Amino acid sequence: MQNEGKAKQGRGRAPRQELGVMARYDRAITVFSPDGHLFQVEYALEAVRKGNAAVGVRGTDTIVLGVEKKSTTKLQDARTVWKILRLDEHVSLAFAGLTADARVLVNRARIECQSHRLTVEDPVTVEYITCFIAGLQQKYTQSGGVRPFGISTLIAGFDPCTGVPALYQTDPSGTFSAWKANATGHNSNSVREFLEKNHTETSGAETVKLAVRALLEVVESGGKNIEIAVMTKNKGLRLLDEAEVEEIVAGIEAEKIAAEAAKKGPPRDQ
Amino acid sequence: MECLFGFVGDGFALVVADTCANQSIVVQKTTEDKITCLDSHKLLGCIGESGDRVQFSNFIQKNMNLYHFRNGIPLSTSAAASFTRCELATALRKAPYQVNMMMAGYDKRTGPCLFYLDYIATLQKLNKGAQGFGAYFILSLFDKYYQKNMNVEEALQLVDKCIWEIGTRMVASPANYVIKIVDRNGARLLARRGRNMSPNLPYAKIS
């Protein structure tokens, strides 16, 4: 009761006493803080914010997932680093945050996809598997002695019956929702702002271009630094190779230069 | 009486199964497909207890899919056969699956292959094999007429001989059969046969 008062007062300033109070509420995951926070979940969201940027854009017939690739590792065999993962023929996942946590979660999701096919003889809907993954993430916020998964996922796929594309996002707290376009990870706010300003109904190559443009807002320009995967109803997930990404990036750069030139052009004539 | 057999030809493997689903004296269905495509290049023909047959072959198929998604590449045919055998063996001393199987597959490096799997977890790699009561007749026909590296026409002729023999000599023989093939291009349906549809035989037909 004494502490309650202190916590409310110290929200802006965080004096030593305040930190001590907060510290007591982030040890065990199952404990709420007096002002209703689950600190472990919030710290998990911090871990996500430190992860590589990931973006997802839903078009009318295509969904594009893009992730930032840190190109500082020269000796590493890049083919063994999986950032965009297939859950099933028609559903894929990109994530931001702790890679090992993603591996475990994706493994469980893949089993669930096949289990669903076995029991009901139907592929999962995107919402079902998202709900499953989110449910799993939530479970780890309500158990003793475990920490939440430090990842936010972008789940993209097509409804197996209607063929309608869908994009969902989950986060460490276990919440999920559907999006037209979204980003997580490093600088996700900038990417999301860009998407909010520039999003229109797109299809095919236009969707890919929008996703690349969004990612280029926060990532160093170049095919080496971006990994793009395109999902279509008929062909499933296809990872674009570096040359294709370079081509798209070059196209975007050229457009930018042309736009700049167009802005500067008319005044000079006068 | 169910019937399942298969053999390896030149760059392909064939699996033939009857399509009758019976329950004691009643014929429930004559178009039951007993050969499952485990993935793009594998076939699993499965006969026996009808519940176990469907459940077990679907279970194996979904586990093959899971392996593919986890590892990015599919299992080889011999690995798939070993996995299946292990599942049978684990269940044997608890709640055995009463199914007999022939698994056929095509691997890029090793070509076509055929495996015989029994309900008591027997596993054997073979060039030709058969399950069910029909095996008593079919194996003799294989001994006399099977040759290595037959092409698809010759293979179908051998299949027709087998079907005709079962139709003639077995009591309560199945009315219809399905023939599936797996080769470089994948696993697919090749043909269907009825009991008395056996053209090109050197001996007299009995209608």
Short mmCIF file of all heavy atoms in Angstrom, two decimals, chain B residues 42-74:
data_model
loop_
_atom_site.label_atom_id
_atom_site.label_comp_id
_atom_site.label_asym_id
_atom_site.label_seq_id
_atom_site.Cartn_x
_atom_site.Cartn_y
_atom_site.Cartn_z
N LYS B 42 6.50 -40.42 -53.52
CA LYS B 42 6.39 -41.65 -52.72
C LYS B 42 4.96 -42.15 -52.71
O LYS B 42 4.02 -41.36 -52.63
CB LYS B 42 6.81 -41.38 -51.27
CG LYS B 42 8.30 -41.31 -51.08
CD LYS B 42 8.63 -41.10 -49.63
CE LYS B 42 10.02 -40.54 -49.48
NZ LYS B 42 10.33 -39.41 -50.36
N LEU B 43 4.82 -43.47 -52.75
CA LEU B 43 3.50 -44.09 -52.65
C LEU B 43 3.50 -45.06 -51.49
O LEU B 43 4.47 -45.78 -51.28
CB LEU B 43 3.19 -44.88 -53.93
CG LEU B 43 2.96 -44.10 -55.21
CD1 LEU B 43 2.89 -45.08 -56.37
CD2 LEU B 43 1.66 -43.32 -55.13
N LEU B 44 2.39 -45.08 -50.75
CA LEU B 44 2.25 -46.08 -49.70
C LEU B 44 0.95 -46.81 -49.92
O LEU B 44 -0.14 -46.26 -49.73
CB LEU B 44 2.26 -45.41 -48.32
CG LEU B 44 2.10 -46.37 -47.15
CD1 LEU B 44 3.28 -47.29 -47.03
CD2 LEU B 44 1.90 -45.60 -45.85
N GLY B 45 1.04 -48.08 -50.35
CA GLY B 45 -0.14 -48.92 -50.47
C GLY B 45 -0.34 -49.61 -49.13
O GLY B 45 0.60 -50.13 -48.55
N CYS B 46 -1.58 -49.63 -48.65
CA CYS B 46 -1.82 -50.08 -47.28
C CYS B 46 -3.10 -50.89 -47.24
O CYS B 46 -4.17 -50.41 -47.63
CB CYS B 46 -1.95 -48.81 -46.43
SG CYS B 46 -1.78 -49.07 -44.70
N ILE B 47 -3.03 -52.16 -46.78
CA ILE B 47 -4.26 -52.95 -46.64
C ILE B 47 -4.32 -53.50 -45.22
O ILE B 47 -3.31 -53.60 -44.54
CB ILE B 47 -4.36 -54.12 -47.65
CG1 ILE B 47 -3.16 -55.06 -47.53
CG2 ILE B 47 -4.50 -53.59 -49.06
CD1 ILE B 47 -3.37 -56.38 -48.24
N GLY B 48 -5.50 -53.89 -44.80
CA GLY B 48 -5.68 -54.46 -43.48
C GLY B 48 -6.91 -53.86 -42.82
O GLY B 48 -7.85 -53.42 -43.48
N GLU B 49 -6.88 -53.81 -41.49
CA GLU B 49 -7.98 -53.25 -40.71
C GLU B 49 -8.31 -51.84 -41.21
O GLU B 49 -7.44 -50.99 -41.26
CB GLU B 49 -7.52 -53.20 -39.24
CG GLU B 49 -8.53 -52.68 -38.27
CD GLU B 49 -9.71 -53.60 -38.10
OE1 GLU B 49 -9.49 -54.82 -37.97
OE2 GLU B 49 -10.84 -53.10 -38.13
N SER B 50 -9.58 -51.60 -41.58
CA SER B 50 -9.88 -50.36 -42.33
C SER B 50 -9.60 -49.08 -41.55
O SER B 50 -9.11 -48.11 -42.11
CB SER B 50 -11.32 -50.37 -42.82
OG SER B 50 -12.16 -50.82 -41.81
N GLY B 51 -9.91 -49.08 -40.23
CA GLY B 51 -9.62 -47.88 -39.44
C GLY B 51 -8.13 -47.61 -39.36
O GLY B 51 -7.66 -46.50 -39.61
N ASP B 52 -7.37 -48.67 -39.03
CA ASP B 52 -5.91 -48.55 -38.94
C ASP B 52 -5.31 -48.13 -40.27
O ASP B 52 -4.38 -47.33 -40.33
CB ASP B 52 -5.29 -49.90 -38.54
CG ASP B 52 -5.51 -50.20 -37.06
OD1 ASP B 52 -5.90 -49.27 -36.34
OD2 ASP B 52 -5.28 -51.35 -36.66
N ARG B 53 -5.85 -48.67 -41.36
CA ARG B 53 -5.31 -48.41 -42.69
C ARG B 53 -5.32 -46.90 -42.97
O ARG B 53 -4.29 -46.32 -43.32
CB ARG B 53 -6.15 -49.15 -43.73
CG ARG B 53 -5.80 -48.87 -45.15
CD ARG B 53 -6.46 -49.87 -46.08
NE ARG B 53 -7.89 -50.04 -45.90
CZ ARG B 53 -8.82 -49.23 -46.35
NH1 ARG B 53 -8.48 -48.14 -46.99
NH2 ARG B 53 -10.10 -49.48 -46.13
N VAL B 54 -6.47 -46.27 -42.78
CA VAL B 54 -6.60 -44.84 -43.08
C VAL B 54 -5.79 -44.02 -42.07
O VAL B 54 -5.03 -43.12 -42.44
CB VAL B 54 -8.08 -44.42 -43.07
CG1 VAL B 54 -8.21 -42.92 -43.22
CG2 VAL B 54 -8.84 -45.13 -44.16
N GLN B 55 -5.97 -44.34 -40.80
CA GLN B 55 -5.30 -43.56 -39.75
C GLN B 55 -3.79 -43.64 -39.88
O GLN B 55 -3.08 -42.64 -39.83
CB GLN B 55 -5.74 -44.09 -38.37
CG GLN B 55 -5.00 -43.50 -37.19
CD GLN B 55 -5.24 -42.02 -37.01
OE1 GLN B 55 -6.11 -41.45 -37.65
NE2 GLN B 55 -4.45 -41.40 -36.15
N PHE B 56 -3.27 -44.84 -40.06
CA PHE B 56 -1.82 -45.00 -40.08
C PHE B 56 -1.20 -44.37 -41.31
O PHE B 56 -0.18 -43.69 -41.22
CB PHE B 56 -1.45 -46.49 -39.99
CG PHE B 56 0.01 -46.70 -39.79
CD1 PHE B 56 0.60 -46.36 -38.59
CD2 PHE B 56 0.81 -47.21 -40.79
CE1 PHE B 56 1.96 -46.53 -38.39
CE2 PHE B 56 2.16 -47.40 -40.61
CZ PHE B 56 2.75 -47.05 -39.40
N SER B 57 -1.80 -44.57 -42.48
CA SER B 57 -1.20 -43.98 -43.68
C SER B 57 -1.27 -42.46 -43.64
O SER B 57 -0.30 -41.78 -44.01
CB SER B 57 -1.82 -44.53 -44.97
OG SER B 57 -3.21 -44.46 -44.91
N ASN B 58 -2.39 -41.89 -43.13
CA ASN B 58 -2.46 -40.43 -42.98
C ASN B 58 -1.44 -39.92 -41.98
O ASN B 58 -0.80 -38.89 -42.18
CB ASN B 58 -3.85 -40.00 -42.51
CG ASN B 58 -4.82 -39.92 -43.67
OD1 ASN B 58 -4.42 -39.98 -44.82
ND2 ASN B 58 -6.10 -39.79 -43.37
N PHE B 59 -1.29 -40.66 -40.88
CA PHE B 59 -0.33 -40.29 -39.84
C PHE B 59 1.09 -40.24 -40.40
O PHE B 59 1.85 -39.29 -40.16
CB PHE B 59 -0.44 -41.30 -38.70
CG PHE B 59 0.58 -41.15 -37.62
CD1 PHE B 59 0.55 -40.07 -36.77
CD2 PHE B 59 1.58 -42.09 -37.46
CE1 PHE B 59 1.50 -39.93 -35.77
CE2 PHE B 59 2.52 -41.97 -36.46
CZ PHE B 59 2.49 -40.89 -35.62
N ILE B 60 1.44 -41.26 -41.18
CA ILE B 60 2.78 -41.29 -41.79
C ILE B 60 2.93 -40.12 -42.77
O ILE B 60 3.96 -39.43 -42.80
CB ILE B 60 3.04 -42.63 -42.51
CG1 ILE B 60 3.02 -43.77 -41.50
CG2 ILE B 60 4.36 -42.61 -43.26
CD1 ILE B 60 4.08 -43.70 -40.45
N GLN B 61 1.88 -39.86 -43.55
CA GLN B 61 1.95 -38.78 -44.53
C GLN B 61 2.17 -37.43 -43.85
O GLN B 61 3.00 -36.63 -44.29
CB GLN B 61 0.64 -38.75 -45.32
CG GLN B 61 0.64 -37.77 -46.46
CD GLN B 61 -0.77 -37.57 -46.98
OE1 GLN B 61 -1.68 -37.25 -46.22
NE2 GLN B 61 -0.96 -37.78 -48.26
N LYS B 62 1.45 -37.16 -42.77
CA LYS B 62 1.60 -35.87 -42.08
C LYS B 62 2.97 -35.74 -41.43
O LYS B 62 3.57 -34.66 -41.39
CB LYS B 62 0.52 -35.65 -41.02
CG LYS B 62 -0.90 -35.66 -41.51
CD LYS B 62 -1.13 -34.93 -42.81
CE LYS B 62 -2.57 -34.90 -43.21
NZ LYS B 62 -2.82 -35.40 -44.56
N ASN B 63 3.51 -36.85 -40.92
CA ASN B 63 4.85 -36.79 -40.35
C ASN B 63 5.91 -36.56 -41.42
O ASN B 63 6.92 -35.90 -41.17
CB ASN B 63 5.15 -38.07 -39.57
CG ASN B 63 4.65 -37.96 -38.15
OD1 ASN B 63 5.22 -37.26 -37.33
ND2 ASN B 63 3.55 -38.61 -37.86
N MET B 64 5.68 -37.10 -42.61
CA MET B 64 6.59 -36.83 -43.73
C MET B 64 6.56 -35.34 -44.06
O MET B 64 7.59 -34.72 -44.30
CB MET B 64 6.16 -37.61 -44.96
CG MET B 64 6.05 -39.07 -44.77
SD MET B 64 7.51 -39.96 -45.18
CE MET B 64 8.04 -39.14 -46.61
N ASN B 65 5.36 -34.75 -44.10
CA ASN B 65 5.22 -33.31 -44.36
C ASN B 65 5.97 -32.50 -43.32
O ASN B 65 6.67 -31.54 -43.64
CB ASN B 65 3.75 -32.89 -44.28
CG ASN B 65 2.98 -33.26 -45.52
OD1 ASN B 65 3.55 -33.72 -46.48
ND2 ASN B 65 1.68 -33.07 -45.48
N LEU B 66 5.80 -32.89 -42.05
CA LEU B 66 6.43 -32.17 -40.95
C LEU B 66 7.94 -32.18 -41.11
O LEU B 66 8.60 -31.15 -40.96
CB LEU B 66 6.02 -32.82 -39.62
CG LEU B 66 6.51 -32.13 -38.35
CD1 LEU B 66 6.00 -30.71 -38.29
CD2 LEU B 66 6.06 -32.91 -37.13
N TYR B 67 8.48 -33.35 -41.47
CA TYR B 67 9.92 -33.45 -41.68
C TYR B 67 10.36 -32.48 -42.77
O TYR B 67 11.37 -31.78 -42.64
CB TYR B 67 10.31 -34.87 -42.06
CG TYR B 67 11.81 -35.06 -42.23
CD1 TYR B 67 12.59 -35.51 -41.17
CD2 TYR B 67 12.44 -34.79 -43.44
CE1 TYR B 67 13.96 -35.67 -41.32
CE2 TYR B 67 13.80 -34.94 -43.59
CZ TYR B 67 14.56 -35.38 -42.54
OH TYR B 67 15.91 -35.52 -42.68
N HIS B 68 9.56 -32.44 -43.84
CA HIS B 68 9.87 -31.56 -44.97
C HIS B 68 9.90 -30.11 -44.55
O HIS B 68 10.82 -29.36 -44.88
CB HIS B 68 8.83 -31.78 -46.08
CG HIS B 68 9.19 -31.14 -47.38
ND1 HIS B 68 8.81 -31.65 -48.59
CD2 HIS B 68 9.89 -30.02 -47.67
CE1 HIS B 68 9.27 -30.88 -49.55
NE2 HIS B 68 9.92 -29.88 -49.02
N PHE B 69 8.90 -29.67 -43.77
CA PHE B 69 8.85 -28.26 -43.36
C PHE B 69 9.93 -27.94 -42.35
O PHE B 69 10.47 -26.84 -42.34
CB PHE B 69 7.47 -27.90 -42.81
CG PHE B 69 6.46 -27.72 -43.89
CD1 PHE B 69 5.44 -28.63 -44.07
CD2 PHE B 69 6.55 -26.65 -44.76
CE1 PHE B 69 4.52 -28.48 -45.09
CE2 PHE B 69 5.64 -26.49 -45.79
CZ PHE B 69 4.63 -27.41 -45.95
N ARG B 70 10.27 -28.89 -41.50
CA ARG B 70 11.29 -28.61 -40.49
C ARG B 70 12.67 -28.54 -41.12
O ARG B 70 13.52 -27.78 -40.68
CB ARG B 70 11.32 -29.74 -39.47
CG ARG B 70 10.36 -29.59 -38.35
CD ARG B 70 10.43 -30.83 -37.51
NE ARG B 70 9.76 -30.64 -36.24
CZ ARG B 70 9.38 -31.63 -35.47
NH1 ARG B 70 9.59 -32.87 -35.85
NH2 ARG B 70 8.79 -31.39 -34.33
N ASN B 71 12.92 -29.39 -42.11
CA ASN B 71 14.28 -29.53 -42.60
C ASN B 71 14.51 -29.01 -44.01
O ASN B 71 15.63 -29.03 -44.49
CB ASN B 71 14.67 -31.01 -42.55
CG ASN B 71 14.64 -31.52 -41.13
OD1 ASN B 71 15.45 -31.16 -40.31
ND2 ASN B 71 13.65 -32.34 -40.84
N GLY B 72 13.47 -28.60 -44.67
CA GLY B 72 13.63 -28.00 -45.99
C GLY B 72 13.78 -29.01 -47.11
O GLY B 72 13.71 -28.65 -48.27
N ILE B 73 14.03 -30.27 -46.79
CA ILE B 73 14.10 -31.30 -47.84
C ILE B 73 13.27 -32.50 -47.40
O ILE B 73 13.13 -32.75 -46.21
CB ILE B 73 15.54 -31.78 -48.13
CG1 ILE B 73 16.26 -32.20 -46.84
CG2 ILE B 73 16.34 -30.73 -48.86
CD1 ILE B 73 17.50 -32.97 -47.08
N PRO B 74 12.73 -33.26 -48.36
CA PRO B 74 11.93 -34.43 -47.98
C PRO B 74 12.81 -35.61 -47.57
O PRO B 74 14.00 -35.66 -47.87
CB PRO B 74 11.16 -34.75 -49.26
CG PRO B 74 11.98 -34.20 -50.36
CD PRO B 74 12.77 -33.07 -49.82
#
